[in-house]
Amino acid sequence: MIREAHVNGIKLVYREEGDPSAPALLLLHGRTADHNDWNGITQHFAARYHVLAPDLRGHGASERPGEYAVPAMADDVAALLDDLGIERATVVGHSLGGIVAYLLAMGRPERVERLVLEDPPQPYPIGNRPPIVEDGSTAFDWRMVHQTERQLVAPDPAWREGLARITAPTLVVSGGAASHLRAQDVAALIPGAELVTIEVGHLIHVTARRAFLRAVDEFLNGAAAAS
């Protein structure tokens, strides 16, 4: 079911699947994607969870306000949870969505039950990035690409410091040597984080869906047993 909410001053469109009375699970897509990036993944988790997969601001059918600070994206997600009356959720984020997820976990620890970060960008300055070349794509706001790129290349030092304050049980899934990112650097900064490496590059949930789901299921089942 595709729904929309008006939260944090903007319209957010989101996909909702599963039993609304089940524990909530948020899926946060990567840059230039939208909720469709989780096709097949949403159905897998909907058997056990109330799954919500929003289009982040500037993506898909959500509003394009022109302002794309990544912390504002985390505020959008928190406001969506408020709007739906959801106190806590398991949060899964890929790439840019991984930063949104960990900003949510560090800023609002009471809202995040468990945290899964799929190949998140390291919170250190990133060099040798190719220049952004706009094409005819209209599925996202190009202003979002340019603004988030500046934040990825020179991230706020507070992000790095905040990772050490995350209290939610955390799994970091790295794409290994084939990825252009160093997810292991994120895992090293989060207390007690588990690191699983799947050597397929950045798009783990697409390229190696079964391995990705197996790693996430094992983590979520283990975290649930320990709680």
Side-chain angles (χ1 to χ4, degrees), residues 36-45 118 198 200 203-217:
N36 290 304
D37 191 54
W38 298 111
N39 288 347
I41 306 289
T42 51
Q43 292 89 337
H44 174 84
F45 288 119
E118 179 194 354
I198 302 173
V200 294
L203 299 174
I204 306 165
H205 71 278
V206 175
T207 310
R209 179 181 296 179
R210 287 185 181 180
F212 173 76
L213 290 174
R214 184 166 56 248
V216 175
D217 282 341

Side-chain angles (χ1 to χ4, degrees), residues 44-75:
H44 174 84
F45 288 119
R48 294 179 292 148
Y49 294 95
H50 178 204
V51 178
L52 303 165
D55 292 351
L56 298 174
R57 63 166 61 196
H59 295 79
S62 286
E63 197 164 330
R64 303 182 178 191
E67 297 294 331
Y68 298 107
V70 183
M73 295 181 177
D75 291 341

